[in-house]
Amino acid sequence: MFKHVFLTGPPGVGKTTLVQKACEALLSSGVGVEGFYTEEVRERGRRTGFDVVTMTGERGHLSRISASPGRREYTVGQYVVDLPAFEALVLPLFRNVSRDHVSGLYGSKVFVIDEIGKMELFSQSFIRAVRQILDSSSCTVLGTIPIPKGKPLGLVEEVRSSRDVRVFAVTKENRNALLQDIVGAVQECLKPTS
């Protein structure tokens, strides 16, 4: 029996859109949803970076195109990752889930992690928080991971191979048909086990 649901697929295939639609369907059925998703930032039609957006609408920088060349500690391609901004917005979300569970406030909720990717994995605190939430029984995670490409990403491969995780491969051909399957899988995870 799996406890978590993740989507995988190439960049731009619609993983985040599916997560957002699944969250809308879950909320309308009375399921609480917390967490975050990643959104492109565009200026004059050109992608200039990525923001992290919480389910309550708070927004923070994840990365931006570097305006000045030179050595940067946290870069993915042309993007410089704003690790302090990312951690300041995202890490409290994990702490809130754990606190709510300990105090008995959690109930039937889903925690969204969109995504576990190269940029996010610069944060050791994020890696620990993801592992902790996946190992705990405090909630069901609905998340996204990239397709395997190049050097394997440790945490991504842990998620992909976990027996507790159901992974949906999203393609342009199947993305419109997957929504009900994803929502159904998350609802199945939320059912109490006897």
Side-chain angles (χ1 to χ4, degrees), residues 127-186:
I127 292 170
R128 283 190 298 276
V130 170
R131 284 184 174 137
Q132 184 177 10
I133 203 166
L134 291 174
D135 288 342
S136 78
S137 60
S138 65
C139 65
T140 292
V141 173
L142 172 60
T144 65
I145 53 176
I147 58 171
K149 180 182 169 186
K151 182 181 175 190
L153 302 172
L155 182 59
V156 171
E157 296 312 312
E158 285 176 35
V159 169
R160 188 184 322 283
S161 63
S162 171
R163 60 183 172 81
D164 291 337
V165 173
R166 179 159 181 201
V167 178
F168 287 89
V170 181
T171 66
K172 287 182 180 179
E173 294 76 28
N174 74 1
R175 65 184 176 196
N176 295 327
L178 279 180
L179 180 60
Q180 290 304 69
D181 292 341
I182 293 164
V183 172
V186 171

Side-chain angles (χ1 to χ4, degrees), residues 2-6 31-35 93-102 105-113 129-143 164-165 186 188-191:
F2 53 89
K3 298 188 314 188
H4 310 292
V5 175
F6 277 80
V31 175
V33 179
E34 295 181 22
L93 300 173
F94 285 92
R95 287 192 289 273
N96 291 345
V97 168
S98 297
R99 184 194 65 232
D100 288 352
H101 179 66
V102 168
L105 298 173
Y106 206 76
S108 180
K109 287 191 181 177
V110 173
F111 190 74
V112 175
I113 305 174
V130 170
R131 284 184 174 137
Q132 184 177 10
I133 203 166
L134 291 174
D135 288 342
S136 78
S137 60
S138 65
C139 65
T140 292
V141 173
L142 172 60
D164 291 337
V165 173
V186 171
E188 189 67 29
C189 292
L190 293 170
K191 289 182 181 173

Side-chain angles (χ1 to χ4, degrees), residues 62-64 74-76 79-84 86 119 122:
L62 174 58
S63 67
R64 292 294 185 270
Y74 305 113
T75 60
V76 176
Y79 300 100
V80 176
V81 178
D82 187 341
L83 202 56
F86 171 71
M119 292 183 189
F122 282 119

